Structure formats: structure tokens, C-alpha cells
Amino acid sequence: MSGMLLEIENLHTHFLTRAGVVQAVNGVSFTLARGEILGLVGESGSGKTVTGFSILGLIDPPGRIVEGSVRLDGLELTSLDQEGLRQVRGKRISMVFQDPMMTLNPVLSIGEQMLLAVRAHERITRRAGLERAAAVLTRVGIPEAATRLSAYPHQFSGGMRQRVAIAIALLHRPEVIIADEPTTALDVSIQAQILHEVRELARESGTALIWISHDLATVSSLADRLIVMYAGRVVEQGPVAEVLSDPRHPYTDGLLASLPANARPGEVLRQIPGNTPSLLDLPEGCAFAPRCARASTICATAPQLTHSGPRSWRCHHPLGAGA
Amino acid sequence: MLGFVIGRCLQALVVMLVMSLVVFTGVYAIGNPLDILIPPEAPQDIREATIARFGLDRPIWEQYLYFLLNVLQGDFGRSFIYNMPVLTLILSRLPATLELALAAVLGATLIGVPLGIYAGYRPTSVAARLIMGLSILGFSVPTFWVGLILILAFAVSLGWLPAGGRGPTVLLFGVPWSFTSLEGLSHLLLPALNLSLFKLAMMIRLARAGTREIILTDTVKFARAAGISEATILRRHVLKLISIPIVTVFGLEFGSTLAFAVVTETIFSWPGLGKLIIDSITSLDRPVMVAYLILIAALFVTINLLVDISYAALDPRLRGGRGA
Ligand SMILES: Nc1ncnc2c1ncn2[C@@H]1O[C@H](COP(=O)(O)OP(=O)(O)O)[C@@H](O)[C@H]1O
Ligand SMILES: [Mg+2]
């Protein structure tokens, strides 16, 4: 696995709450190549956001990375100190959050906030910094960027705010951008636009992208490779086309079946029955078993990872060719 | 903005008018100044001359209207006791209280806010616990007691600082101040410290609560994700976001300290408004009481106006108008 830009290995992130230990991320491993676009999908609550924050060391107490490693080009991020992490954040790995209404500071002007982000990693005059900011705003499709620098977030629409957040993420041409459902909170008409733009920007600058979404349809139009998460674990991964056409894990299959595009006319959308399990005390075995039509007694034990070429899955009763 | 200011000024006028009415009737009810003005054994003609001179023989509404008319011409009447124009009397005491209140509130803010931010940022640290202990102390220990202890410790035992009085003053723009000389400052230090303890506790609490809340928001997390340092996040993001409640309390505390620094001013023999109003109450110096309370109302209204204006400066969302 050497030569990979980002290697995440056996990552465990837990929250020590009063009710008990929430095992939000529970042994996640995956890699990311330079310039690759990786889609990270799973239902809400499956640990996608926590995985993203864990990579950047942004887990606040009572959360903690209890085990595992995150290596960026060989640099172990989990053992970096505060300052070491700071130098990586925004410079080598950036992140765009889900809700653009909450991420920008309402009482600082756009220019001021971007300047802070520029100066986090560069000694630069105020003027040159603002010029840089305006240039990047123009790249993400904000018209009259130079004059908009003095505006405040409340004067922007949700889509515009998310563009500003994307611009901040792009400022230092990072090697990786983690985009955590950046279009979920936006109007449908703007979603596709932003999706397209971010892909172009990433391609242009050779930036690798981890695109997090609960919506398989969105991700599959964008990503090179898919990672499917369920209850804090990766249950399946592989190239997008293969995973979509020939899913191995029943959960992936269920997600696919629930897509509107896959429904036959007149048929009700097939939802996966049941709910996501509580992460407080996960069972030993497969967390999906209670909702799975293929489950048997063996599913009470944890399924091991099965590899096949560029694909892998974690299931006792996989579908398709491997079964 | 101009309309806002004019509206607030009209509002202020109404407040002051109501205040004057309430105060005038209230003060009228609490006692007869004649008992103090004139010795009981004074002959009847002197008695009557005095009554007539102060207009005390007229009905109350007539006295009030007469008073109001004079006020409109800038005349708040004459003090019974000091026998000088009330306005001159109050203005001569105002600078002392003004600098004491400002020193106390400013000191409490400049020290309390950073301490509070730290305590909110690292709530479980030993330093944060010490800071919170200090703030509980500031809330619970009575001011007069702290004042006496301060005098005992720093003036009597150690002899480092004067026990009371205002010390020499220096004229600045024709107004006497203490803070411009070292000697004056040494007189100012203890009473200001005494007054500021409660405000310090309040500022610590306020800054801590705001910081704890903001540090968990996506705004701070996003700033961290961009590689912005913790110090910059606290200085630029957090401080700016908690500034509105702090400015509010600053204004309220400044106003109430101006009006009610009585205890501290008495303990430290600080020749300010607090002492003046206490003296005027004990001697039933009606014009002083009335003018003082009306002026205090005016001060509160002014401070509130300034606070409201600074809201707009601090939070662009309150500015309204321009934008997309
Ligand atoms: N601060 C926290 N304290 C306790 N539990 C948390 C915290 N943050 C996240 N979790 C839990 O971690 C799980 C995964 O959350 P998240 O990564 O946000 O899911 P996703 O992004 O896939 O929707 C959720 O069940 C959530 O309850
Ligand atoms: Mg999420």
C-alpha cells in the first residue's frame, strides 16, 4: 500500500458519553491515491463525518481516536502535536462542512475570514492576502469577488456561503479536500452545479477528494472509487462502476435498490427495513444482520474482510460472483 | 441611523420627564426640609421668609411646574445646604465618580474577559478552577467588607497606599482628575479595586459562558480545519462573538456604578456623587436629590444609546440596509 497519499488503518474513534461509549468509527481502513476522487457513503449516523474529523484530528472531547493510524504521505497524523496538526490543516488537507450557514463567522467579513486562513500558513501582507482571496473566490464562481470581500456571510445565500467555504479550503492548494456533504443543505439546482465545480477544481489542481454523502446517486456520478460505511465500519469498497453494477454487500444492494433511478415505474421505492443500530453497545457480529434478508447464525460472528482485486467487502453471505 | 438616534433622544426626554415627576413627588413625601433648614427656636418672620424664598408654601403641583420651567432654562435650583446651584454642585462631584466608575468597570473588563475566555477554553484546568473560585469570591463577599480589608491591608498594615480621599487632582480640559498623576492614581487604586471585584466576577462568568458555547460551534471547527491557530481563534473569532453581551454588561455596570458607588465612596471618603446623594438624603436637601436622580436617568439613557450604537458596530447583521 506504499505510495498512497493517505492511508487510514484500523481507525477507532469513540465518544465517552454519560450513556456509555459511542463507537462512532470502529476499525475503518482505506487509502486514497493522489488526485483520486473517493466517495464515502452510508446512512446518516454511520460515522462518515467522524471519520473526516478524525483524519484532521478535529475530534473534540468526549471523543477520542482510541486506536489506528492516519498517514499522509508517510507522516503519522495521529501522533502529531497541536502545532504539527495545525500546519497540516488547511495547507495539506482541507475540509468543507455540511452546513454553510454555520461554518462562517457571522461577525467577520468574508475578506477578513479568508485573510485569517491565508495567514495561517503564509507570511503575507494584508493587501496581497486579500488579492489571493479574491482570486480564489473568482475561481469558485463568485462574481465581483474583490468587492464581495467586504461583505458579511448573512449577505450571501447558502450556495454562495458554501462557495466561500470551498474557496477557503482551496486557498493553499491542498493535497486532499474532505467534502462532508457540502451540497446536502443546498437547493437541488445548486447541488449539481457545486458538485461539478468542485470536481473540476480538484482535477485542475490535482487535489484528491473525499466526497462524503448519504446519497449514493450523487457520489456515484462523481467518484472514482466508493467506500460504503455502516455503523462505523467499512462494509464494502471498490471502483464505482463495479460496486454499482455488481454489489457484494447486502447493505450496498439495499442502498442501490432504494435509489429512485433503479425503481421500476409504478413500484414503491424499496427502503431497507429497520433502523441503524445504536452505536452504544454494538453486537460482536455483523451490525447489519438484524436488517439483512440473507443473515444466518454465522452472522453473529464478525465477518472478515474479503479481498478480490481492487474490491473488498465484509460479509458472510455476499451477493454476486463471489457468493 | 439618524432616525434611530432622534427616536431614542425623544424616548430619553419622556423617561426623564416621568422620572422628574416620580422623584419630585416621592421626595416631597419623605419629609419636611424646614425642620433642618431652620432652627426650631427661630422667630416666625425668619421662618416665613425662608419658606417663601424656597417656594415651600405653594402647592406641590405649582412647585413642580415652577421647577420644570427652571430646569428648561438649565436651572435645577439651589441646594438648601450648600447654598449653591445644584447643577454646579453635582458637576463638581461628577468627575470623581466618573473616573472611579470607569477605572473599576474598565479594569474589570480588561482583566475579567481574558480570564473568562481562558476559563471557558480550558474549563477543566487548574487555572480555570482558580479563576472560577475568584469569581465566586467576587460575587459573594460584601463590598464594604472587602473595602475595609483593603484599607487594613494596604493602607494600615503595609502603608503602601493612602486609606482614602482623592489626593491631588490635575486639570484636564478644565476638569479636575486624579488618574493623570501617580499620586492621584495611588488614591484611585484601592477604591477602584474594591468596586471592580463584583464586576470582575461578572465579566469572568460572561466571557466563560460565551467561550464555552462558541468553542463547540462549527465556526470554530471550520477555522481549526483551515489551520488557524488557537490563539487567533480566541482573539479574532471568539472575542468578537462574545463582545455583545460584554458591551451590554459594561454599559449597565458603568451606569449603576456612577449612580450607586455610595458604599465604596463612603468607605474611602471619595468625594463623589455617592457621598453627595447620601448627604443630601440625610439632610433632606430636596433639590439635590431631585436633580441627581434626573441626571442619573439621563446618564442611563445615554449609556443605553451608546450600547445600542455599538451593537451595530459589532454585529453586521444588526446594521440592516445594504447587502445582497
Ligand atoms: N460529540 C459526539 N458525542 C457523542 N456521539 C457522537 C458525537 N459526534 C458524533 N457522535 C455519534 O457518532 C455517530 C456517527 O456520527 P457521524 O459521523 O456524524 O455520522 P454521519 O456523518 O455518517 O451521518 C452518530 O451515531 C453520532 O451519534
Ligand atoms: Mg455527517
Side-chain angles (χ1 to χ4, degrees), chain A residues 88-313:
Chain A
V88 171
R89 296 176 185 153
K91 175 86 177 163
R92 301 189 63 191
I93 307 179
S94 297
M95 189 155 172
V96 181
F97 291 12
Q98 180 165 351
D99 189 352
M101 305 315 242
M102 310 301 290
T103 44
L104 298 176
N105 187 333
V107 299
L108 291 180
S109 70
I110 301 296
E112 214 52 55
Q113 298 190 52
M114 295 194 70
L115 193 62
L116 288 177
V118 175
R119 285 184 161 169
H121 301 291
E122 261 172 62
R123 293 181 67 91
I124 188 169
T125 64
R126 188 184 167 79
R127 186 189 210 149
L130 287 175
E131 272 170 21
R132 268 274 295 289
V136 183
L137 283 182
T138 307
R139 272 183 72 208
V140 297
I142 292 185
E144 296 169 61
T147 56
R148 304 306 286 275
L149 284 178
S150 56
Y152 288 87
H154 74 280
Q155 297 169 318
F156 282 55
S157 65
M160 280 298 174
R161 288 193 215 187
Q162 197 60 300
R163 287 195 161 93
V164 173
I166 292 167
I168 289 176
L170 283 168
L171 269 174
H172 298 280
R173 294 182 167 270
E175 291 147 86
V176 184
I177 294 180
I178 302 169
D180 184 9
E181 313 211 30
T183 61
T184 306
L186 303 180
D187 287 348
V188 182
S189 57
I190 299 169
Q191 287 188 10
Q193 218 178 334
I194 289 199
L195 204 73
H196 178 76
E197 284 168 13
V198 170
R199 181 174 55 190
E200 287 315 299
L201 289 166
R203 288 259 148 86
E204 246 170 57
S205 50
T207 300
L209 205 55
I210 299 178
W211 190 282
I212 296 175
S213 179
H214 67 273
D215 176 13
L216 191 55
T218 314
V219 186
S220 45
S221 70
L222 174 82
D224 305 316
R225 210 149 53 84
L226 267 190
I227 289 189
V228 183
M229 275 188 80
Y230 187 79
R233 291 198 180 94
V234 175
V235 293
E236 172 156 16
Q237 58 175 309
V240 170
E242 291 176 43
V243 173
L244 291 185
S245 62
D246 183 22
R248 289 294 142 85
H249 200 283
Y251 177 63
T252 316
D253 189 48
L255 283 181
L256 278 168
S258 65
L259 290 181
N262 290 352
R264 275 175 233 117
E267 192 192 41
V268 189
L269 289 185
R270 283 195 290 147
Q271 293 297 326
I272 305 174
N275 293 312
T276 46
S278 158
L279 298 175
L280 267 176
D281 33 19
L282 277 174
E284 261 296 289
C286 173
F288 186 61
R291 303 170 70 183
C292 183
R294 304 169 71 89
S296 68
T297 47
I298 192 181
C299 298
T301 63
Q304 293 305 303
L305 203 62
T306 312
H307 290 277
S308 163
R311 303 185 59 178
S312 63
W313 55 88

Side-chain angles (χ1 to χ4, degrees), chain A residues 53 56 58-60 82 86 89-90 93-97 102-108 112-113 116-117 120-121 148 150 152 154-155 165 168, chain B residues 121 215-230 232 236-238 240-241 314-324:
Chain A
F53 283 153
L56 274 177
L58 280 175
I59 298 293
D60 287 322
Q82 194 64 36
R86 192 194 67 72
R89 296 176 185 153
I93 307 179
S94 297
M95 189 155 172
V96 181
F97 291 12
M102 310 301 290
T103 44
L104 298 176
N105 187 333
V107 299
L108 291 180
E112 214 52 55
Q113 298 190 52
L116 288 177
H121 301 291
R148 304 306 286 275
S150 56
Y152 288 87
H154 74 280
Q155 297 169 318
I168 289 176
Chain B
Y121 179 66
I215 211 75
L216 296 174
T217 59
D218 268 4
T219 301
V220 165
K221 208 158 201 174
F222 184 66
R224 282 185 178 143
I228 295 168
S229 70
E230 298 295 293
T232 306
R236 300 298 304 278
H237 284 283
V238 174
K240 192 90 194 270
L241 283 166
L314 291 170
D315 192 337
R317 287 167 297 184
L318 301 176
R319 264 169 242 168
R322 83 199 161 91

Side-chain angles (χ1 to χ4, degrees), chain A residues 15 17 22-25 42-51 60-63 98 180-181 212 279:
Chain A
F15 291 89
T17 66
V22 177
Q23 303 178 323
V25 172
E43 282 168 302
S44 173
S46 55
K48 308 180 298 291
T49 298
V50 174
T51 302
D60 287 322
Q98 180 165 351
D180 184 9
E181 313 211 30
I212 296 175
L279 298 175

